[in-house]
């Protein structure tokens, strides 16, 4: 049942349906230039083109695993979570399309999670190598996604409302599929059509307080030491068309008859060790006399202490499996990224149960050593407990479910 609930979460975040619902409610939405960015970009763009068949530019940039052929559109692929040369070229192509917009144009931006890394547009004098260095440091820092995006926005021509500056004087409408807990639009894909989350002084403080500042390339410190732009940000009309909360409700709605179902938290954040403790505590407190599904959503963080391979969902699943040893009856726990990818791996996350730790040991692996090395992928692979879905074409952060029978 756990994987059926995960499938329901992904289905509820279907990007094409989200765009279709928007046009049904707002049929006057227009656009002569359509730009889609993120893991859901192809599906969002294809649906928008059904409603705006006369757009003169239709461009999508997505993750390499989500490529699609869309007649009449240009679909580019790039790397995530660390930006690459293909993303740099894609960012330049978007800038060219926006810089060519005139007062007679209307721009429709279709934004989904993952866009931050997919379209690096380094602010001068930064290079792609500088942006890559910053991204690696941020991903290993334990900072949450909002803090990371605040920093990234200061270094980009497109993030933090930069999309609007380059599109001006053309008006911009944004349709946003949120992968951010709390749905702060400025944090989704680093907010290309939204006001920045903060300023350079705040970015400097975050980096300094977290021991990153002195490890940054010189050019990055140079940009962050410069004053903020005094020019006002052009306005945009932004719509939230999908979110993690919608997926959690979809999971709750398909729990099997006879089961109690409860959304425990839609803000599961912070370090995976803390999140695992919260989940295990909720399982201990659940009534023992009825099958129960405990549902969670959010986006945790992993502080890297080793050089293993994994992701936040895999490490969370492994930590829960470890902590749940000897706990009540039959249980299954799933943690997965709705985009189908967890960290730099082929897995969406993990599905563990009361036998997971024994299966790891039977395979000749040391679960504790692998966990200490952030090598959750190897541990779950040894147990046969990886959640493998392939790219889903959408992204509304992570979902978890604990099934207690």
């Amino acid at each position: 049942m756990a994987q059926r609930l995960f499938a329901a979460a992904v289905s509820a975040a279907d990007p094409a349906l989200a765009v279709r619902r928007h046009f049904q409610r707002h049929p006057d939405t227009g656009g002569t230039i359509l730009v889609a960015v993120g893991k859901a970009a192809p599906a969002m763009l294809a649906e928008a083109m059904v409603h705006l068949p006369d757009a003169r530019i239709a461009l999508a940039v997505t993750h390499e695993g989500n490529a699609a052929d869309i007649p009449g559109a240009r679909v580019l692929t790039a790397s995530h979570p660390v930006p690459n040369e293909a993303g740099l070229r894609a960012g330049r192509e978007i800038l060219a399309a926006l810089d060519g917009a005139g007062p007679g144009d209307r721009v429709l931006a279709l934004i989904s999670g993952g866009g931050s890394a997919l379209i690096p547009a380094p602010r001068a004098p930064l290079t792609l190598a500088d942006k890559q260095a910053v991204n690696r440091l941020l991903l290993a820092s334990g900072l949450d996604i909002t803090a990371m995006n605040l920093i990234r926005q200061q270094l980009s021509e497109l993030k933090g409302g930069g999309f609007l500056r380059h599109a001006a004087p053309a008006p911009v409408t944004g349709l946003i599929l949120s992968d951010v807990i709390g749905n702060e639009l400025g944090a989704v894909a680093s907010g290309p059509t939204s006001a920045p989350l903060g300023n350079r002084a705040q970015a400097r403080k975050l980096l300094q307080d977290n021991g990153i500042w002195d490890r940054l390339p010189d050019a990055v410190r140079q940009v962050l030491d410069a004053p903020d732009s005094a020019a006002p940000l052009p306005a945009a009309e932004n719509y939230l068309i999908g979110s993690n909360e919608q997926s959690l409700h979809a999971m709750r709605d398909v729990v099997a008859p006879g089961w109690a179902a409860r959304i425990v938290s839609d803000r599961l954040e912070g370090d995976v060790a803390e999140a695992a403790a919260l989940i295990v505590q909720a399982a201990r407190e659940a009534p023992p006399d009825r099958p129960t599904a405990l549902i969670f959503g959010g986006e945790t963080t992993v502080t890297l202490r080793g050089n293993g391979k994994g992701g936040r969902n895999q490490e969370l699943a492994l930590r829960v499996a470890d902590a749940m040893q000897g706990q009540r009856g039959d249980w299954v726990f799933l943690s997965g990224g709705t985009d189908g990818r967890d960290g730099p791996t082929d897995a969406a996350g993990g599905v563990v149960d009361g036998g997971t730790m024994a299966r790891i040991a039977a395979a000749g692996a040391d679960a504790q050593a692998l966990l200490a090395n952030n090598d959750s992928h190897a541990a779950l692979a040894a147990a046969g407990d990886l959640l493998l879905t392939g790219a889903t074409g959408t992204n509304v952060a992570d979902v978890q479910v604990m099934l207690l029978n």
Side-chain angles (χ1 to χ4, degrees), residues 85-181:
E85 287 284 349
L88 184 66
R89 292 191 295 271
R92 288 171 178 162
E93 192 157 335
I94 290 175
L95 286 170
L98 298 177
D99 288 339
D105 283 309
R106 296 176 68 184
V107 179
L108 180 65
L110 304 152
I111 309 298
S112 58
S116 186
L118 291 170
I119 50 168
R123 182 168 285 164
L126 301 181
T127 65
L128 177 62
D130 293 327
K131 294 291 290 289
Q132 290 171 330
V134 171
N135 235 34
R136 290 190 185 98
L137 287 169
L138 293 178
L139 290 171
S141 68
L143 286 170
D144 66 30
I145 188 65
T146 300
M148 286 194 283
N149 283 346
L150 186 156
I151 294 164
R152 289 166 173 157
Q153 288 172 347
Q154 316 308 316
L155 308 175
S156 173
E157 285 291 326
L158 284 171
K159 299 174 176 64
F163 193 105
L164 306 177
R165 296 188 189 280
H166 283 276
V172 176
T173 299
L175 305 188
I176 301 172
L177 189 70
S178 173
D179 66 334
V180 174
I181 304 312

Side-chain angles (χ1 to χ4, degrees), residues 192-217:
T193 64
S194 304
L197 298 168
N199 55 37
R200 295 181 186 182
Q202 290 170 307
R204 288 196 303 271
K205 188 173 189 310
L206 277 169
L207 292 162
Q208 290 163 353
D209 289 349
N210 287 274
I212 304 170
W213 179 258
D214 292 335
R215 298 156 64 195
L216 294 170

Side-chain angles (χ1 to χ4, degrees), residues 65-403:
N66 291 335
D69 182 23
I70 304 175
R74 183 163 167 74
V75 179
L76 307 176
T77 60
S79 176
H80 181 279
V82 177
N84 64 358
E85 287 284 349
L88 184 66
R89 292 191 295 271
R92 288 171 178 162
E93 192 157 335
I94 290 175
L95 286 170
L98 298 177
D99 288 339
D105 283 309
R106 296 176 68 184
V107 179
L108 180 65
L110 304 152
I111 309 298
S112 58
S116 186
L118 291 170
I119 50 168
R123 182 168 285 164
L126 301 181
T127 65
L128 177 62
D130 293 327
K131 294 291 290 289
Q132 290 171 330
V134 171
N135 235 34
R136 290 190 185 98
L137 287 169
L138 293 178
L139 290 171
S141 68
L143 286 170
D144 66 30
I145 188 65
T146 300
M148 286 194 283
N149 283 346
L150 186 156
I151 294 164
R152 289 166 173 157
Q153 288 172 347
Q154 316 308 316
L155 308 175
S156 173
E157 285 291 326
L158 284 171
K159 299 174 176 64
F163 193 105
L164 306 177
R165 296 188 189 280
H166 283 276
V172 176
T173 299
L175 305 188
I176 301 172
L177 189 70
S178 173
D179 66 334
V180 174
I181 304 312
N183 301 322
E184 170 61 65
L185 299 188
V188 182
S190 293
T193 64
S194 304
L197 298 168
N199 55 37
R200 295 181 186 182
Q202 290 170 307
R204 288 196 303 271
K205 188 173 189 310
L206 277 169
L207 292 162
Q208 290 163 353
D209 289 349
N210 287 274
I212 304 170
W213 179 258
D214 292 335
R215 298 156 64 195
L216 294 170
D218 290 341
V220 174
R221 291 197 296 267
Q222 175 185 334
V223 168
L224 293 175
D225 277 331
D228 289 289
S229 172
L233 186 70
E237 191 171 13
N238 287 319
Y239 295 89
L240 177 67
I241 63 169
S243 68
N244 184 265
E245 291 91 330
Q246 293 178 11
S247 287
L248 299 186
H249 286 284
M251 293 172 73
R252 185 187 62 188
D253 291 345
V254 299
V255 169
W259 283 65
R262 180 165 66 94
I263 297 173
V264 179
S265 174
D266 59 5
R267 291 177 180 267
L268 191 68
E269 299 176 284
D271 188 79
V272 287
E274 298 171 3
L278 185 152
I279 291 164
V280 172
Q281 184 63 30
R284 289 173 178 157
E285 294 174 353
D289 56 348
R290 186 178 181 187
T292 301
L294 303 176
I295 297 168
F296 308 79
E299 188 165 288
T300 57
T301 57
V302 174
T303 301
L304 296 179
R305 297 181 176 86
N307 59 3
K309 181 180 178 182
R312 59 183 180 263
N313 287 288
Q314 292 164 81
E315 184 157 328
L316 178 59
L318 183 58
R319 287 182 178 276
V320 168
D322 184 31
M324 283 290 292
Q325 291 184 90
Q327 300 297 319
R328 67 175 254 184
D330 294 332
W331 61 268
V332 175
F333 175 74
L334 178 151
S335 182
T338 54
D339 60 354
R341 288 178 56 87
D342 184 41
T345 75
D346 59 348
V351 188
V352 296
D353 58 33
T356 292
M357 303 304 284
R359 289 193 294 273
I360 294 172
D366 184 335
Q368 297 303 325
L370 292 170
L371 189 57
N373 193 40
N374 297 116
D375 209 358
S376 54
H377 186 274
L380 294 179
D385 288 352
L386 290 170
L387 175 62
L388 299 168
T389 66
T392 65
T394 191
N395 186 20
V396 290
D398 305 333
V399 297
Q400 294 83 22
V401 61
M402 172 68 80
L403 300 177

